[in-house]
Amino acid sequence: MIKNPRVAIVGATGAVGVEILSCLESRNFPLASLKLLASRRSAGKQVAFRGEMLTVEELTKDSFQDVDIALFSAGGSISLEYGPIAAAAGAVVVDNSSAFRQDADVPLVVPEINGDAAFNHPRNIIANPNCTTIITLMALYPLHLKFGLKMVVASSYQAVSGSGQHGIAELESQVRAIVNGHPVEMSTYPRQIAFNVLPQIDKFTDTGYTKEELKMLNEGRKIMGLPELKVTCTCVRVPVYRSHSISCVAQFEKPVDVEAAKACFAGMPGVKLMDDPAANVWPTPLDSTNGDDCLVGRIRKDLAIDNALNLWVVGDQVRKGAALNAVQIAELLVNGK
């Protein structure tokens, strides 16, 4: 356990870094000290935290000499360069990028699912999973405990917050341009995102799948401890500011029952059932935005696959999909459970 840790946030001025700061404050995370780190252009900025103003410092190789937990959210290249430096200085790194997720000696952790894995980190590095993977597995894990997960077919509807502040700004500017009859400009995305959907997130691989789609397969197997789990996925960017949605077909080892499936979510931390179609009750991205819980609805038997359910899950990409999950991992390190 690390009582009253000295904490650093790397990428403190980015969308996820700002949300990490919010989670630390709202959850009364115990701190001996807090250091905000970012690029040289952000150094010197003032950020409010618990009634005080903290000054953002420039990230350097000497930034981690007095740090117990380092929460990284500055992208893969920064994590690859500075993560091992922080770990060597004695800090436990909780990394939001994909840099270390598939390393055999780096645990990949969703606290509600495999929290015990956080305590076996021989390199002092713990990986935070991909946002879409986290949100999807929060819905599937309670069902897996009862029925035994075998296969997943998923389509994601991912908000522009997944591209950081640049994605949010691009959607805002394109909407304003279209409403005012001005030309649409593109920089973050290869095609117009306003009033459109883009069936590509991350780069394509030689399999025809994007890297984002393969994360669901590889990360799902590692987190769930199911090396034979079959997963196929299509990831789509949609003109939603925040919160991802995923449509899933999940096949199980055992016969499934809809009412028994709904009962699986009772008392499960971090996920709530929102499923009464007759009353138009089903989750939308706006229902989960700025919230900690993933919301599940539209649960029904699949008409084409045996022992399978269809379901719909939404979750705040910036929060549970990134910042909150990282802070929850840090809470495990502090509380020892």
Side-chain angles (χ1 to χ4, degrees):
M1 293 187 295
I2 309 173
K3 291 296 184 182
N4 295 315
R6 299 165 295 177
V7 174
I9 303 175
V10 179
T13 59
V16 174
V18 169
E19 197 70 27
I20 287 175
L21 197 68
S22 174
C23 289
L24 292 174
E25 184 161 20
S26 65
R27 295 172 72 85
N28 295 315
F29 187 91
L31 289 166
S33 63
L34 180 60
K35 180 183 292 190
L36 305 183
L37 300 170
S39 64
R40 179 177 300 176
R41 66 179 179 273
S42 295
K45 288 184 178 179
Q46 296 283 300
V47 178
F49 180 74
R50 293 181 180 173
E52 300 181 13
M53 297 304 294
L54 303 180
T55 302
V56 177
E57 303 175 28
E58 181 183 354
L59 173 64
T60 72
K61 294 181 179 180
D62 298 320
S63 295
F64 304 100
Q65 297 304 315
D66 55 351
V67 172
D68 299 307
I69 299 174
L71 304 172
F72 273 68
S73 60
S77 61
I78 295 296
S79 294
L80 286 170
E81 181 177 359
Y82 288 96
I85 293 173
V92 179
V93 172
V94 181
D95 181 46
N96 266 296
S97 81
S98 61
F100 307 105
R101 289 176 185 159
Q102 292 306 314
D103 292 8
D105 52 358
V106 173
L108 184 64
V109 177
V110 179
E112 294 91 342
I113 298 175
N114 66 332
D116 288 347
F119 301 108
N120 181 22
H121 49 267
R123 289 169 56 188
N124 265 10
I125 299 174
I126 301 170
N128 213 41
N130 175 259
C131 50
T132 310
T133 302
I134 292 174
I135 294 165
T136 304
L137 295 189
M138 287 295 294
L140 295 180
Y141 180 66
L143 301 172
H144 166 67
L145 292 177
K146 184 170 182 64
F147 302 113
L149 188 61
K150 181 178 180 182
M151 181 184 73
V152 179
V153 180
S155 294
S156 71
Y157 305 79
Q158 298 182 216
V160 294
S161 56
S163 303
Q165 292 174 335
H166 294 296
I168 295 170
E170 183 149 321
L171 176 56
E172 288 178 339
S173 67
Q174 289 184 0
V175 169
R176 283 197 300 268
I178 292 168
V179 169
N180 293 310
H182 297 153
V184 169
E185 296 182 359
M186 294 168 286
S187 59
T188 300
Y189 302 114
R191 303 277 291 275
Q192 177 182 314
I193 183 62
F195 308 104
N196 201 12
V197 298
L198 310 181
Q200 177 189 355
I201 299 177
D202 212 329
K203 296 178 180 178
F204 284 103
T205 68
D206 56 9
T207 65
Y209 287 86
T210 65
K211 289 183 177 181
E212 183 83 358
E213 290 159 354
L214 294 178
K215 289 173 186 175
M216 182 86 79
L217 167 65
N218 296 322
E219 295 180 21
R221 287 177 170 180
K222 185 173 181 178
I223 295 163
M224 300 279 279
L226 298 173
E228 302 302 319
L229 180 65
K230 295 180 179 179
V231 180
T232 186
C233 183
T234 300
C235 291
V236 181
R237 187 74 69 195
V238 297
V240 169
Y241 284 116
R242 188 158 155 161
S243 288
H244 291 351
S245 306
I246 302 96
S247 173
C248 283
V249 179
Q251 186 183 36
F252 300 92
E253 300 286 351
K254 301 176 183 177
V256 292
D257 173 81
V258 171
E259 291 307 313
K262 291 181 178 180
C264 291
F265 296 98
M268 291 297 293
V271 61
K272 289 183 178 178
L273 186 68
M274 189 176 176
D275 194 354
D276 186 2
N280 293 328
V281 174
W282 19 254
T284 72
L286 289 177
D287 295 315
S288 66
T289 295
N290 295 317
D292 291 348
D293 291 328
C294 296
L295 307 176
V296 185
R298 297 294 319 277
I299 298 176
R300 59 207 186 275
K301 279 193 175 183
D302 190 85
L303 299 178
I305 302 172
D306 292 338
N307 299 339
L309 295 170
N310 278 271
L311 58 88
W312 173 260
V313 55
V314 303
D316 189 311
Q317 176 272 328
V318 185
R319 206 160 171 88
K320 180 54 183 173
L324 174 61
N325 199 78
V327 171
Q328 287 177 302
I329 292 171
E331 289 172 345
L332 291 175
L333 300 176
V334 169
N335 298 323
K337 59 180 181 179

